[in-house]
Amino acid sequence: MNKKLFIPLVAATALAACQPTTETAEDRFIDQLLSQMTLEEKIGQMNQLNFDQPLDTVKAQVRRGEIGSMLNIPVDIINEVQRTAMEESRLGIPLIIGRDVIHGYKTVFPIPLGQAASFNPQVVEDGGRVAAIEATSQGMRWTFAPMLDVSRDARWGRIAESLGEDPYLAAELGAAMVRGFQGDSLNDPTSMAACAKHFVGYGASEGGRDYNSTQIPLRSLRNVYLPPFQRAIETGAATVMTSFNDNDGVPSSCNDFLLRTVLRDEWRFDGFVVSDWNSMGEMMAHGVAADRKDVARLSANAGLDMEMVSYTYMDYLPELVAEGAVPMEHIDQAVRNILRIKYRLGLFDNPYIDTDKPSPLYAEEHLQKARTAATQSAILLKNDGVLPLKTSQTVAIIGPMADAPHDQLGTWSFDGEQSHTVTPLKALQTEYKQVKYHYEPGLRYSRDTNTDRFQAVKRAVRQSDVAVVFVGEEAILSGEAHSLSNINLIGKQSDLLQAVKSVGKPVVMVVMAGRPLTIERDLPYADAVLYSFHPGTMGGPAILDLLFGRENPSGKLPVTFVREVGQIPMYYNHHNTGRPAQDWFTPIDQIPLNAQQTSLGNTSFYLDSGRDPLFPFGYGLSYTRFEYANLRLSDTVASPTGVITATATIKNVGTTDGTEVVQLYVRDLVGSIARPVRELKGFQRVHLKAGESKAVTFTLPVQDLAFYGKDLVKKVEPGKFHLWIAPNSAEGLQSEFRVK
Ligand code: NOJ
């Protein structure tokens, strides 16, 4: 224990022993510490510095107690700066060191959207754990993840970082990621504080344009965007980050309704809230703060505890407190929240990196877990029988993503190294040595428009039995600040695919991308399509295992794949509308000339692209087939406090062992407000040997059907419900029940 605090803490403990109190040792510690802090030291705790100044300048600030946290600090000086905080500042309060460890530190897992395709909380938890073990070994005890923004727009670059379009899936997997990062106890030196971000609504940026405003009404906020955050808080997420967007005019970093009413009063969150990078400063650009002083006042009063890099708290809170514009109790509360997490992390006792410990970076077990994650994250979208390949076949390896070690890591891989990435080409050369192949990328990178090598490509294909074309997006084309208005395959990749197809050999298209691209126009040129959201360090071997049938694809889509960008937003859990789209409509080329104006018979669809997506949420094929039969419910009538059990028999009717993600959906037929046509309420990965069948049971507490209705109170509304056990959001066995 830090010597500077030892005496007061013991005194507090002794005092507490004589008084009946519910105060914990943690509370006492924090109270004691707080009672010794000057206003400037308190404000220092609320200040997060980006390490972009000379070391001596930073150390001087730390010594004066002006910094509570840092991000982007080089690993080799973390101990030194921490020692300054511990030994040279007046109170010896440790720094909390944060970093964007989003889907791995050195061992990079698939991007979060890819991990979501596994529908496997264990895979996601393992990803968080591996990242935490590696990052904490280098001194990072706080990660800015998971990102829990429900994302329904593929143009938005940050869909890559999301867990998809569904609130339930994002909540389940987000909770798993929190468990992975934080481990069994924050106090463990391999645990990192998680950060549920971006609170809230950022995924609904208008037009999919990053940083744009959102227009989310309160009911949708409650029913769609908040649930993953609530689940993360219930799971113990230590911190929350506010989002960049203004929702209906109010930027999150000064939204006291979100930060006080929802987070603190309703959810009893007792960790701390950090702003996003300059999201406080940007309130001036939003036009809700006149100047930097106004920024500090608005955020401090709204309940924002720590400021990331815009330093208005440092500059203006002293005078704002003196003027009475920010009450001292707001400052004390913010500092308590921050100290609480530092205390729980055990930073007061163990602030330093143990440099004597063997390095866990790229541990064999980590690489294996990353490989499993990449395997389970790939989705087979089409297969006319060309897959799996045989190792006796000669394969043409084509396309810019076949050997793109940087790009397959995906967005937010600050610390991942291309020298450790195993690309498909490299995996072929090392793990599938028996396979004969011809490698000709054709294009050097995804945006490349130079087709000079297409003749060489065709030659390579002619000499082969089958072509595998690796296309997609460079890592930099998705992620923060990288939105697109056109999400077709970029550059000349579609032409490359067509050139390959023209040779007449079977063609497999493998896509590595940060978003669901619009690939409808490419499908005719591919006999099979395997979609792998940027798959990380071990993507190469994982993809080859799937292509050659050593593994059977099991991923399912965590987002809807649209046919055309103009269909966006399109998501499976939409409302029915007053004129729900039918599966028939007059195609645009059959509309007669000089047709009279009419709407009769028409419904909510597009003349040119109909009503359906290219692939629905939850969709994904396997090398085997699964049959669903015999759906039965425990009850057809349930009370609001009851439980419904739904069971179906799933049979593997193929000749290959496989894993099916079995999904549970419901629909509330009549509510006080329009309800989604389907809502995911459960999923299970079920492994079935060839020919095997299993009864798969879901237990659905009726309370899980509660929603915020017309009166904005969360409750289950009585009435009739449909229920499906299904292979995806567009199919499945259907039954019904009634809630009394
Ligand atoms: C901005 C991003 O929006 C956020 O997600 C990230 O954690 C911070 N920058 C820190 O790098």
Side-chain angles (χ1 to χ4, degrees):
M1 183 59 66
N2 184 337
K3 288 198 195 71
K4 294 176 180 169
L5 302 169
F6 190 64
I7 296 171
L9 180 63
V10 170
T13 315
L15 186 69
C18 325
Q19 294 170 351
T21 171
T22 53
E23 228 193 12
T24 61
E26 176 185 289
D27 295 334
R28 283 191 296 275
F29 179 85
I30 293 166
D31 284 347
Q32 275 300 319
L33 181 48
L34 198 68
S35 70
Q36 299 172 62
M37 295 171 79
T38 63
L39 175 61
E40 285 68 25
E41 284 165 337
K42 289 177 184 175
I43 294 168
Q45 287 302 305
M46 299 167 70
N47 184 30
Q48 187 185 50
L49 178 91
N50 179 42
F51 191 88
D52 57 1
Q53 296 163 34
L55 179 57
D56 284 345
T57 316
V58 171
K59 280 167 77 172
Q61 288 171 267
V62 170
R63 208 170 282 127
R64 292 194 297 268
E66 291 174 0
I67 296 172
S69 172
M70 272 186 216
L71 77 164
N72 299 333
I73 171 169
V75 167
D76 56 348
I77 54 167
I78 290 180
N79 270 350
E80 184 182 344
V81 176
Q82 190 68 288
R83 192 156 284 117
T84 306
M86 296 304 291
E87 295 177 6
E88 297 173 31
S89 73
R90 193 178 74 89
L91 292 169
I93 302 175
L95 299 161
I96 177 170
I97 306 294
R99 190 156 179 87
D100 288 288
V101 181
I102 307 297
H103 52 111
Y105 180 66
K106 290 290 178 185
T107 304
V108 177
F109 275 58
I111 55 171
L113 190 60
Q115 294 184 40
S118 74
F119 279 67
N120 189 346
Q122 192 58 53
V123 152
V124 178
E125 185 171 335
D126 287 349
R129 192 84 289 271
V130 165
I133 291 171
E134 294 193 355
T136 55
S137 78
Q138 307 294 296
M140 267 69 73
R141 295 295 306 279
W142 181 20
T143 178
F144 305 125
M147 186 179 112
L148 300 171
D149 298 309
V150 168
S151 303
R152 294 167 161 179
D153 194 327
R155 293 170 296 182
W156 192 47
R158 300 199 84 167
I159 196 171
E161 285 175 66
S162 81
L163 295 164
E165 74 183 31
D166 182 67
Y168 176 81
L169 183 65
E172 289 298 303
L173 301 184
M177 210 182 275
V178 170
R179 290 196 299 274
F181 283 131
Q182 298 196 168
D184 294 333
S185 154
L186 272 186
N187 197 265
D188 186 303
T190 69
S191 291
M192 289 182 105
C195 185
K197 73 186 190 184
H198 305 87
F199 197 61
V200 62
Y202 184 31
S205 298
E206 284 185 337
R209 191 152 48 82
D210 208 1
Y211 311 124
N212 206 358
S213 302
T214 59
Q215 299 295 341
I216 310 172
L218 188 53
R219 236 187 308 271
S220 302
L221 201 66
R222 294 269 193 201
N223 286 329
V224 178
Y225 291 91
L226 286 172
F229 287 90
Q230 183 169 8
R231 189 67 204 287
I233 303 306
E234 286 163 4
T235 310
T239 72
V240 167
M241 185 188 292
T242 54
S243 56
F244 285 123
N245 57 299
D246 73 280
N247 185 42
D248 194 16
V250 187
S252 300
S253 295
C254 65
N255 192 327
D256 52 338
F257 166 72
L258 289 174
L259 301 185
R260 292 197 187 281
T261 310
V262 175
L263 254 190
R264 304 286 179 187
D265 301 348
E266 294 180 16
W267 298 353
R268 318 305 302 169
F269 174 62
D270 69 356
F272 71 87
V273 179
V274 66
S275 63
D276 200 347
W277 186 281
N278 196 33
S279 68
M280 283 174 52
E282 288 167 16
M283 294 188 327
M284 291 182 289
H286 279 291
V288 302
D291 50 30
R292 295 182 70 243
K293 183 172 175 185
D294 218 16
V295 165
R297 179 182 63 82
L298 286 167
S299 290
N301 286 338
L304 201 151
D305 303 316
M306 184 184 280
E307 178 174 23
M308 187 186 282
V309 312
S310 38
Y311 316 116
T312 66
Y313 278 174
M314 277 306 287
D315 294 344
Y316 294 102
L317 278 183
E319 61 187 84
L320 284 164
V321 171
E323 290 162 8
V326 172
M328 191 61 201
E329 65 205 70
H330 284 0
I331 306 287
D332 282 347
Q333 196 49 55
V335 177
R336 269 202 183 87
N337 296 336
I338 294 164
L339 294 177
R340 192 176 296 123
I341 296 307
K342 292 188 174 183
Y343 178 92
R344 288 183 187 166
L345 283 165
L347 285 173
F348 288 94
D349 295 317
N350 279 315
Y352 303 116
I353 312 169
D354 182 350
T355 45
D356 293 336
K357 275 221 248 120
S359 166
L361 306 181
Y362 298 115
E364 189 49 37
E365 191 195 348
H366 297 180
L367 296 173
Q368 283 314 320
K369 288 196 158 138
R371 183 173 182 154
T372 302
T375 306
Q376 295 192 13
S377 298
I379 310 112
L380 183 65
L381 292 177
K382 175 177 178 180
N383 188 11
D384 289 349
V386 53
L387 289 178
L389 305 176
K390 296 182 195 57
T391 48
S392 55
Q393 287 174 302
T394 301
V395 186
I397 301 290
I398 312 293
M401 296 299 287
D403 193 30
H406 171 75
D407 292 320
Q408 83 176 46
L409 294 180
T411 186
W412 282 126
S413 308
F414 278 166
D415 302 290
E417 295 156 301
Q418 39 172 317
S419 55
H420 283 75
T421 308
V422 191
T423 64
L425 182 68
K426 195 154 156 197
L428 192 66
Q429 291 160 344
T430 53
E431 294 197 29
Y432 285 83
K433 286 189 183 140
Q434 72 276 38
V435 176
K436 292 203 192 66
Y437 71 91
H438 300 286
Y439 172 56
E440 176 50 69
L443 298 167
R444 290 164 302 154
Y445 51 94
S446 69
R447 284 168 294 168
D448 194 359
T449 52
N450 184 340
T451 58
D452 288 355
R453 298 293 302 170
F454 279 21
Q455 287 311 324
V457 164
K458 288 187 187 174
R459 267 197 305 280
V461 176
R462 260 181 236 116
Q463 292 163 16
S464 308
D465 301 315
V466 56
V468 184
V469 187
F470 292 85
V471 292
E473 292 180 308
E474 295 148 69
I476 195 61
L477 298 182
S478 61
E480 185 178 350
H482 289 83
S483 296
L484 290 172
S485 61
N486 176 337
I487 53 172
N488 296 337
L489 276 179
I490 205 161
K492 291 284 179 189
Q493 296 184 100
S494 291
D495 304 65
L496 174 65
L497 191 69
Q498 290 177 26
V500 170
K501 183 67 184 167
S502 70
V503 175
K505 302 284 172 78
V507 178
V508 179
M509 168 161 107
V510 177
V511 188
M512 291 191 212
R515 55 165 62 75
L517 296 167
T518 37
I519 54 170
E520 184 173 35
R521 60 188 51 71
D522 304 302
L523 292 184
Y525 305 97
D527 302 288
V529 178
L530 184 69
Y531 209 97
S532 172
F533 295 108
H534 290 134
T537 305
M538 296 301 281
I543 288 171
L544 285 199
D545 288 348
L546 291 163
L547 293 178
F548 285 101
R550 209 186 264 177
E551 298 281 351
N552 192 348
S554 61
K556 299 267 188 166
L557 295 179
V559 278
T560 301
F561 269 52
V562 294
R563 296 176 188 280
E564 291 293 340
V565 73
Q567 287 183 317
I568 293 173
M570 182 174 263
Y571 45 91
Y572 86 95
N573 47 356
H574 58 85
H575 292 173
N576 202 34
T577 80
R579 295 196 184 179
Q582 309 298 322
D583 53 8
W584 52 265
F585 60 92
T586 312
I588 193 165
D589 50 3
Q590 287 177 27
I591 299 175
L593 294 180
N594 298 319
Q596 286 296 320
Q597 151 86 36
T598 179
S599 59
L600 291 182
N602 277 4
T603 54
S604 182
F605 69 94
Y606 292 104
L607 287 175
D608 53 349
S609 63
R611 63 156 199 186
D612 291 326
L614 183 59
F615 298 110
F617 174 86
Y619 180 83
L621 302 171
S622 159
Y623 294 152
T624 188
R625 275 194 316 112
F626 300 100
E627 257 178 29
Y628 285 59
N630 194 16
L631 171 59
R632 54 239 185 241
L633 304 189
S634 56
D635 303 279
T636 50
V637 182
S639 76
T641 53
V643 169
I644 297 267
T645 306
T647 305
T649 306
I650 317 297
K651 182 167 187 193
N652 179 344
V653 293
T655 53
T656 314
D657 299 352
T659 297
E660 168 72 335
V661 178
V662 183
Q663 299 157 44
L664 175 75
Y665 294 94
V666 296
R667 176 175 180 186
D668 187 347
L669 289 182
V670 180
S672 61
I673 56 166
R675 302 291 295 133
V677 293
R678 278 203 194 194
E679 285 180 284
L680 186 70
K681 291 290 176 191
F683 55 86
Q684 294 179 38
R685 286 177 63 88
V686 181
H687 185 76
L688 293 168
K689 295 202 175 326
E692 190 188 2
S693 64
K694 268 187 196 158
V696 176
T697 297
F698 289 94
T699 306
L700 176 69
V702 176
Q703 274 308 311
D704 285 4
L705 304 170
F707 63 97
Y708 290 85
K710 199 166 180 194
D711 56 5
L712 269 169
V713 176
K714 188 176 183 187
K715 57 176 176 290
V716 182
E717 295 186 3
K720 206 200 245 184
F721 289 77
H722 283 167
L723 177 150
W724 294 261
I725 291 187
N728 60 61
S729 63
E731 295 176 275
L733 303 174
Q734 186 189 328
S735 183
E736 63 179 49
F737 62 92
R738 178 174 288 283
V739 173
K740 285 189 291 201

